[in-house]
Amino acid sequence: MLNIVIFGAPGSGKGTQSERIVEKYGLNHISTGEVLRGEIAAGTELGKTAQQIIDQGHLIPDELMISILAGKLDKLVDSNGVIFDGFPRTIAQAEALKAMLAERGQEVTAMIELDVPEDELMTRLLKRGQESGRADDNEETIKKRLLVYAEQTSPLKEWYKNDGKHCYINGFGELDRIFADIVAAIESRK
Ligand code: AP5
Ligand code: MG
């Protein structure tokens, strides 16, 4: 059973590299951002709440996000494991994930941090905003997302170091090189 947390700032390549990891290891991919965008597209009550928060670049409250994630985990059957993309984003979420996996006799195998310089993140996200039009990929919201990441999410690097799970990856450069570094990190931990 492989449980991988893919971690990094907005635009660091979590979604892009998750696709490759899923293909190689046959994992279930849980992207909390995609779950929320699905709710928005479906026009649910949750989607309406989420839309306002996402448009401002803020985080969905922990309690709500943790219950959404628990619901997704409960639905998985015959899983080789999970790649968690965009979760956890706060210490409370990391603690909840640890407890949820422990209840199932599991743990996080590795936390993969994709480190990318801020100017490159901005370039990538502005480009994506122009091409595919994700509503939160505009300059003002991106700046807010980066600030929220620095304040609320980046402390998780230390948390996962203390938990013995943290793997550093230079996320700036060629997709193939980054993926090879991720695979090497996973192989050394599994
Ligand atoms: P979420 O959807 O998770 O967005 P994010 O963290 O801001 O990250 P992105 O999806 O924008 O980037 P990514 O790291 O996946 O990079 P990607 O591969 O796409 O969350 C959205 C919102 O939902 C949050 O702001 C929050 O409000 C809410 N939310 C979600 N989870 C939550 C939680 N747990 N708690 C509370 N709230 C939550 O790549 C980006 C671009 O760069 C792409 O165009 C890609 O093609 C390109 N690219 C990728 N790699 C490279 C490379 N090596 N070189 C050049 N370009 C590259
Ligand atoms: Mg993503």
Side-chain angles (χ1 to χ4, degrees):
M1 188 70 70
L2 269 183
N3 290 304
I4 309 293
V5 171
I6 188 126
F7 182 89
S12 57
K14 300 183 294 295
T16 305
Q17 295 294 339
S18 287
E19 283 178 23
R20 295 176 167 219
I21 299 167
V22 163
E23 199 180 318
K24 181 168 173 68
Y25 292 103
L27 303 180
N28 286 105
H29 181 203
I30 303 181
S31 159
T32 44
E34 274 172 28
V35 170
L36 296 168
R37 285 186 288 279
E39 296 286 333
I40 292 171
T44 63
E45 278 308 309
L46 170 58
K48 284 174 197 155
T49 309
Q51 178 150 38
Q52 292 179 349
I53 299 173
I54 292 176
D55 286 349
Q56 290 171 356
H58 292 294
L59 296 183
I60 307 307
D62 282 333
E63 209 177 314
L64 180 56
M65 206 62 240
I66 290 165
S67 78
I68 294 170
L69 188 90
K72 291 281 160 197
L73 267 187
D74 284 339
K75 287 209 188 103
L76 299 181
V77 278
D78 296 336
S79 172
N80 292 330
V82 179
I83 178 147
F84 297 93
D85 165 1
F87 188 99
R89 268 175 145 91
T90 62
I91 305 245
Q93 292 182 15
E95 283 168 351
L97 178 61
K98 188 170 178 157
M100 274 187 257
L101 291 175
E103 274 172 23
R104 294 164 172 79
Q106 298 176 36
E107 61 177 4
V108 167
T109 312
M111 182 271 217
I112 307 284
E113 179 202 345
L114 298 174
D115 182 39
V116 176
E118 235 183 60
D119 55 347
E120 167 74 5
L121 296 169
M122 184 55 94
T123 305
R124 288 184 190 178
L125 293 176
L126 285 175
K127 181 161 174 254
R128 189 177 63 189
Q130 282 161 2
E131 287 167 358
S132 75
R134 222 176 92 173
D136 56 347
D137 286 342
N138 62 79
E139 190 171 357
E140 195 191 343
T141 309
I142 296 166
K143 280 186 180 156
K144 185 68 198 174
R145 285 157 67 196
L146 292 173
L147 200 68
V148 167
Y149 172 78
E151 286 175 353
Q152 298 188 53
T153 305
S154 71
L156 284 177
K157 293 179 214 171
E158 237 12 74
W159 193 92
Y160 276 107
K161 277 180 198 165
N162 291 332
D163 210 32
K165 308 292 186 195
H166 176 264
C167 303
Y168 174 90
I169 305 284
N170 174 6
F172 181 44
E174 273 289 310
L175 291 176
D176 289 346
R177 193 272 304 154
I178 297 166
F179 181 60
D181 287 354
I182 293 172
V183 169
I186 293 174
E187 292 297 323
S188 75
R189 300 261 167 176
K190 69 174 200 188

